[in-house]
Amino acid sequence: MKNKVYLQGYKLKAIWVILALIIWESIARFSSVTSLAFPSLTLIGKALIESIISGEIINQMAFSLGLIILGLIISILLALIMSSLSIVNPIVENLVQTSISIFHPLPGIALLPLIILWIGTGSKAVVFIIIHSVLWPMILNMVAGFKAIPQVYKKIGRNYEFSTGKIISKIYIPASLPYIIAGLKIGWARAWRAAISAEMIFGATGGRGGIGWYIFNKRVFMDTPGLFAGLIVIIIIGILVEDLAFGKLEETTIKKWGIS
């Protein structure tokens, strides 16, 4: 039954995608809009295939993914440490809440002048922006999940004489998985935006450029089909991660364990 529902969901998504492609191709072929603004699907597909064959878009996408994954791992560890400490210590909780109030509203791009002064324009600067963009919403979700846990779970842990670390790892984290996974989804999306924005500004970092630099170059040289090819690759990866990675994670944890 579940597989049937998932299949219907994918079919519906495919219908929307096909409909969007038909509308796009209709505008490209039958309207007076220039191909520079609305290239046909044929031109976009050709640009995408050429970039894949040359390895350009694959290498730059791999470079961006490497920075994003590194930033996400660091952000998850920091969020877990800060959220756990804020639960057991009121002073740390106040510090974390104050930090969130200060830094969460600040977009990473607004910090670029300071980041350039302090770190430079290399890969470390891109990772820093990713961490800043991901960390605060992840902490918010983790803390909200920890606070939403029923008191009976905590009492059970104390009755079994669990240490604070064991209560967090055995009770808080499993019971907060819906919040944590929601935070991961938000973090993943924000990491992409941060990385691409930073790459467009910093250019090629570490001797290599990411997908943001790829898109920026295509815009500069008025290669609109190539620009859309880069966007399509980002969309495809986003769909794969959202439906496969996060979907599988939810299926093997939240749905399997009956957490709500």
Side-chain angles (χ1 to χ4, degrees), residues 149-160:
I149 297 172
Q151 288 294 325
V152 65
Y153 291 174
K154 303 171 188 177
K155 291 178 180 178
I156 291 171
R158 294 192 190 100
N159 289 337
Y160 278 97

Side-chain angles (χ1 to χ4, degrees), residues 19-86:
L19 182 61
L21 293 176
I22 291 172
I23 293 172
W24 182 279
E25 188 68 10
S26 299
I27 294 173
R29 289 185 178 274
F30 305 116
S31 73
S32 58
V33 179
T34 174
S35 61
L36 193 62
F38 264 90
S40 67
L41 296 178
T42 303
L43 292 175
I44 296 173
K46 182 180 177 182
L48 178 59
I49 292 171
E50 288 176 353
S51 294
I52 291 173
I53 291 174
S54 67
E56 180 185 13
I57 199 168
I58 301 298
N59 291 332
Q60 293 182 318
M61 178 60 72
F63 183 74
S64 291
L65 279 173
L67 296 180
I68 290 170
I69 291 171
L70 176 61
L72 279 172
I73 291 172
I74 296 173
S75 299
I76 292 169
L77 293 175
L78 289 175
L80 184 58
I81 292 170
M82 295 172 72
S83 301
S84 301
L85 290 175
S86 69

Side-chain angles (χ1 to χ4, degrees), residues 10-229:
Y10 285 126
K11 285 181 179 179
L12 188 57
K13 285 183 180 180
I15 290 172
W16 290 121
V17 170
I18 292 170
L19 182 61
L21 293 176
I22 291 172
I23 293 172
W24 182 279
E25 188 68 10
S26 299
I27 294 173
R29 289 185 178 274
F30 305 116
S31 73
S32 58
V33 179
T34 174
S35 61
L36 193 62
F38 264 90
S40 67
L41 296 178
T42 303
L43 292 175
I44 296 173
K46 182 180 177 182
L48 178 59
I49 292 171
E50 288 176 353
S51 294
I52 291 173
I53 291 174
S54 67
E56 180 185 13
I57 199 168
I58 301 298
N59 291 332
Q60 293 182 318
M61 178 60 72
F63 183 74
S64 291
L65 279 173
L67 296 180
I68 290 170
I69 291 171
L70 176 61
L72 279 172
I73 291 172
I74 296 173
S75 299
I76 292 169
L77 293 175
L78 289 175
L80 184 58
I81 292 170
M82 295 172 72
S83 301
S84 301
L85 290 175
S86 69
I87 288 296
V88 299
N89 191 307
I91 296 175
V92 177
E93 181 183 11
N94 186 268
L95 174 61
V96 170
Q97 292 299 329
T98 303
S99 300
I100 291 172
S101 300
I102 294 171
F103 295 112
H104 186 43
L106 282 176
I109 300 301
L111 297 176
L112 280 179
L114 288 175
I115 293 170
I116 291 171
L117 284 174
W118 293 342
I119 303 176
T121 59
S123 300
K124 291 180 181 178
V126 178
V127 173
F128 184 90
I129 292 175
I130 293 171
I131 294 171
H132 168 75
S133 300
V134 172
L135 179 61
W136 311 113
M138 287 201 67
I139 293 176
L140 281 172
N141 276 271
M142 283 190 182
V143 171
F146 290 169
K147 289 183 177 179
I149 297 172
Q151 288 294 325
V152 65
Y153 291 174
K154 303 171 188 177
K155 291 178 180 178
I156 291 171
R158 294 192 190 100
N159 289 337
Y160 278 97
E161 297 183 351
F162 283 178
S163 64
T164 302
K166 204 166 186 180
I167 289 175
I168 291 172
S169 62
K170 298 292 186 180
I171 297 176
Y172 277 67
I173 292 177
S176 303
L177 272 178
Y179 292 87
I180 294 173
I181 293 176
L184 281 172
K185 288 182 177 180
I186 295 171
W188 167 257
R190 292 191 65 162
W192 267 113
R193 292 198 292 268
I196 292 171
S197 300
E199 287 171 354
M200 285 183 173
I201 294 172
F202 292 152
T205 61
R208 295 177 61 189
I211 191 65
W213 180 239
Y214 173 90
I215 292 172
F216 181 80
N217 269 333
K218 297 302 180 182
R219 183 194 68 80
V220 168
F221 293 103
M222 303 301 288
D223 183 2
T224 311
L227 188 154
F228 280 108

